[in-house]
Amino acid sequence: MSLEMAKRSVLSVISVLWSGLSCVSALITLICALLIIGKVSIPLTVLLVAVSLPSAILNQTYTKKLYQWNLTHIKEERQMNYLSFIMTDKSYAQELRLFNIGDFLKEKFKAIWGPYFAKKKKLTKKRVFLVTLLSVLPQLCILGILAVLSLRIINGNNTVGDYSLYSGLLAQFLSSLMAALTSIINIYDQKLRIHSFEEFEAIPNAVANTGTEKLNEITSIEFNDVSFRYPGTEKEVLQHISFSVKKHEKVCLVGLNGAGKSTLIKLLLRFYDAESGNIRINGADVKNYEITSLRKAFSCLFQLSPNYAFTLRENITISDIFKNADENDVLEALYNSSASDILDQMADGLDSYLSRAYEENGTELSGGQHQKIALARTFFRNSSVLILDEPSASLDPESEYKVFCSLEKLSRGKTAIFTSHRLSNTIIADKIIVIENGTVIEQGTHDELMEKASRYATFFTYQADRYIRKK
Ligand SMILES: Nc1ncnc2c1ncn2[C@@H]1O[C@H](COP(=O)(O)OP(=O)(O)OP(=O)(O)O)[C@@H](O)[C@H]1O
Ligand SMILES: [Mg+2]
């Protein structure tokens, strides 16, 4: 919510500058016009200024009211944006048609839009009515001034030429007044938005970047009695987790859905900090390291890594934009993720677009092909620790086999942490850590865990049984 408010504030600073300039220019014109109009009737000119003020004050009051109303209705706006998104986004198109839920979604949208629009309309109508009513007062004053002027012309104190001069000035006065009021209201409105931005900036980061040490190569990782719950939630998703990963070790995290595997990875990369316990890298607390250098030491394939609507080359090199890489590095990353065949199908080679969203000639990939590209991006980054969260979930058997061969080859001089629900892949791991309900329940090699009545052995047998043809 705060981010949404802050996003709206960014353009406000520029807007305040422009409005400030317009306001100054309108005020200069306004003052000059008033000085001349004052010659006709000082009391009426003072009255003209006085009656113009209520409309300005009212406008300002309603600007604040409307702004605060908008802030309290951001949730509805976001819900409506979300509903519009799923009604138009490609990823939902199939289920939308299959489930025939177009009307259902429209009704959901209308249920929010109806009361939202009615309330906003009521507030805006009231504003327009009152502001229009009050803006009649300056008009009446102007009529008074023109009447005095007409009398003066009749009495021979002024000429008909003066009438056209003053009526022009009065029109100028009104338009400058409106311009000045609009600018002042805009400045006020934008100031409220900038305030939201300042509030957003004051929100502390989920993790404090107070570490100063630079991290280069990682030689050891230790989780010591780590417990964690996501901010604003009750459930402790990790409880007293302890394990270690040595240099060049390949460690596989195994566990049921929701066990806490991906959360462990997020803590290691310091997207969050542990609530208690600590994570140590090369013997030092992760908090001692400067965050950018800490993250630089990891190549990570996240469980849900979407690709970018950029070229194939950019989709790979984006993981390390400062790397002085040549085409061979990109091709090697594609080869290691078993994605070379994708490149062969692309009309413009590495410069082909990976989506048709913005480029008519772009290429739409299959789910598995997308995963291979995301994997190639991870391999391209080439950091000292490789993390792969479910790297083969969408891959065909041949690609999965090749990817794990690559992983074995690539991680020879590296440390690797990976998760996989397909337990045949644990074969390349030096150590398997089994996580259940946020705790480490067992760890060891495949053979060690298979020898005892472990949870791992149970999981492995579930899958192995399926591969053994029963007679
Ligand atoms: N951003 C979040 N905010 C709150 N709770 C979360 C968040 N992300 C995950 N969780 C919760 O944390 C728990 C652990 O989730 P996590 O993603 O680590 O599981 P996982 O072991 O990776 O599961 P899977 O095998 O399905 O990938 C789950 O109960 C989940 O609901
Ligand atoms: Mg996960």
Side-chain angles (χ1 to χ4, degrees):
M1 207 82 93
S2 305
L3 178 64
E4 187 68 35
M5 279 149 59
K7 261 164 47 187
R8 294 172 187 205
S9 318
V10 176
L11 293 173
S12 301
V13 180
I14 302 168
S15 186
V16 164
L17 285 174
W18 276 117
S19 298
L21 288 174
S22 319
C23 185
V24 170
S25 118
L27 282 175
I28 291 171
T29 319
L30 195 71
I31 290 166
C32 294
L34 277 178
L35 286 176
I36 305 171
I37 297 164
K39 286 188 178 165
V40 177
S41 162
I42 291 176
L44 275 176
T45 309
V46 171
L47 192 67
L48 178 60
V49 174
V51 294
S52 303
L53 291 177
S55 141
I57 294 165
L58 192 86
N59 238 331
Q60 195 167 12
T61 313
Y62 268 91
T63 299
K64 194 171 180 181
K65 266 192 186 171
L66 262 172
Y67 182 74
Q68 268 157 0
W69 188 89
N70 280 338
L71 286 189
T72 49
H73 290 77
I74 280 184
K75 187 177 163 196
E76 282 95 325
E77 276 187 32
R78 291 183 67 195
Q79 281 176 317
M80 287 189 286
N81 283 343
Y82 175 69
L83 286 166
S84 314
F85 166 73
I86 58 177
M87 280 191 269
T88 49
D89 191 69
K90 201 175 75 161
S91 43
Y92 291 92
Q94 295 171 89
E95 287 205 352
L96 222 90
R97 283 183 221 162
L98 179 69
F99 302 158
N100 192 18
I101 50 173
D103 287 340
F104 166 79
L105 293 175
K106 261 194 257 165
E107 284 312 315
K108 256 185 175 304
F109 187 93
K110 276 203 246 166
I112 305 167
W113 170 249
Y116 172 90
F117 182 67
K119 280 190 237 162
K120 193 163 186 170
K121 198 168 122 190
K122 200 171 151 195
L123 197 63
T124 312
K125 253 170 110 178
K126 214 167 152 188
R127 176 191 191 164
V128 170
F129 175 73
L130 289 172
V131 170
T132 312
L133 199 71
L134 288 178
S135 62
V136 171
L137 295 177
Q139 301 280 2
L140 289 176
C141 255
I142 286 174
L143 274 180
I145 293 172
L146 288 176
V148 171
L149 192 63
S150 303
L151 279 176
R152 281 176 168 226
I153 294 168
I154 293 167
N155 295 336
N157 297 332
N158 281 91
T159 63
V160 177
D162 288 343
Y163 188 89
S164 58
L165 167 76
Y166 282 106
S167 56
L169 274 173
L170 284 165
Q172 184 77 51
F173 167 83
L174 263 192
S175 69
S176 303
L177 180 73
M178 284 305 130
L181 286 182
T182 312
S183 303
I184 290 167
I185 288 161
N186 193 39
I187 291 172
Y188 183 72
D189 189 24
Q190 302 303 337
K191 225 184 91 210
L192 292 172
R193 286 165 206 265
I194 292 169
H195 180 64
S196 303
F197 185 67
E198 285 164 355
E199 278 179 358
F200 173 75
E201 281 211 311
I203 297 173
N205 281 335
V207 290
N209 190 9
T210 46
T212 49
E213 274 180 56
K214 293 270 181 231
L215 178 62
N216 295 314
E217 209 201 350
I218 294 181
T219 53
S220 70
I221 298 170
E222 284 166 64
F223 277 70
N224 294 317
D225 206 23
V226 168
S227 296
F228 172 73
R229 77 187 85 219
Y230 281 96
T233 64
E234 291 287 306
K235 189 180 153 200
E236 207 171 42
V237 293
L238 298 178
Q239 297 156 36
H240 307 289
I241 293 260
S242 294
F243 68 88
S244 63
V245 182
K246 290 193 221 115
K247 188 177 176 181
H248 297 172
E249 208 170 25
K250 279 172 271 306
V251 172
C252 180
L253 303 174
V254 169
L256 299 179
N257 294 133
K261 305 177 294 295
S262 300
T263 306
L264 277 175
I265 295 169
K266 292 182 208 169
L267 260 57
L268 185 55
L269 298 174
R270 277 203 81 205
F271 296 151
Y272 300 97
D273 276 335
E275 197 171 279
S276 62
N278 59 62
I279 302 169
R280 306 183 86 79
I281 292 183
N282 300 351
D285 195 308
V286 277
K287 293 179 186 166
N288 291 2
Y289 296 109
E290 194 269 317
I291 287 188
T292 318
S293 87
L294 170 86
R295 292 181 184 156
K296 186 85 188 66
F298 293 93
S299 292
C300 183
L301 173 76
F302 297 103
Q303 193 166 10
L304 297 171
S305 278
N307 283 311
Y308 300 82
F310 301 155
T311 63
L312 175 58
R313 187 197 309 275
E314 285 169 322
N315 265 279
I316 310 297
T317 55
I318 203 165
S319 64
D320 194 353
I321 46 173
F322 299 113
K323 183 167 162 176
N324 192 10
D326 60 24
E327 195 150 310
N328 282 334
D329 295 308
V330 178
L331 296 177
E332 195 182 330
L334 285 167
Y335 174 79
N336 287 328
S337 67
S338 195
S340 304
D341 59 326
I342 301 175
L343 174 64
D344 296 340
Q345 294 161 21
M346 300 264 182
D348 297 320
L350 289 174
D351 296 316
S352 311
Y353 274 83
L354 272 208
S355 156
R356 302 187 62 197
Y358 309 107
E359 289 293 327
E360 263 182 39
N361 297 330
T363 307
E364 292 294 347
L365 299 181
S366 74
Q369 287 172 325
H370 267 297
Q371 189 161 26
K372 287 179 186 177
I373 301 300
L375 193 56
R377 179 160 61 242
T378 313
F379 288 150
F380 178 82
R381 190 166 157 88
N382 203 16
S383 304
S384 73
V385 176
L386 191 58
I387 300 178
L388 304 175
D389 196 357
E390 280 296 324
S392 59
S394 309
L395 301 192
D396 61 60
E398 188 182 49
S399 302
E400 180 170 26
Y401 174 77
K402 284 186 187 166
V403 161
F404 275 90
C405 287
S406 296
L407 177 58
E408 204 174 6
K409 186 184 87 190
L410 290 173
S411 59
R412 240 166 245 154
K414 281 181 195 296
T415 309
I417 301 172
F418 64 99
T419 74
S420 180
H421 288 300
R422 270 180 252 175
L423 297 185
S424 54
N425 295 322
T426 57
I427 220 134
I428 66 159
D430 302 309
K431 180 152 73 184
I432 295 158
I433 297 173
V434 185
I435 310 202
E436 197 153 278
N437 295 325
T439 52
V440 174
I441 53 162
E442 53 203 35
Q443 49 182 306
T445 62
H446 170 81
D447 291 339
E448 283 165 3
L449 293 175
M450 287 305 285
E451 269 166 26
K452 42 188 177 182
S454 65
R455 278 293 272 164
Y456 173 79
T458 312
F459 295 156
F460 194 88
T461 316
Y462 284 154
Q463 288 186 345
D465 273 357
R466 295 272 171 189
Y467 288 112
I468 300 163
R469 230 170 123 194
K470 298 223 166 76
K471 298 246 166 85

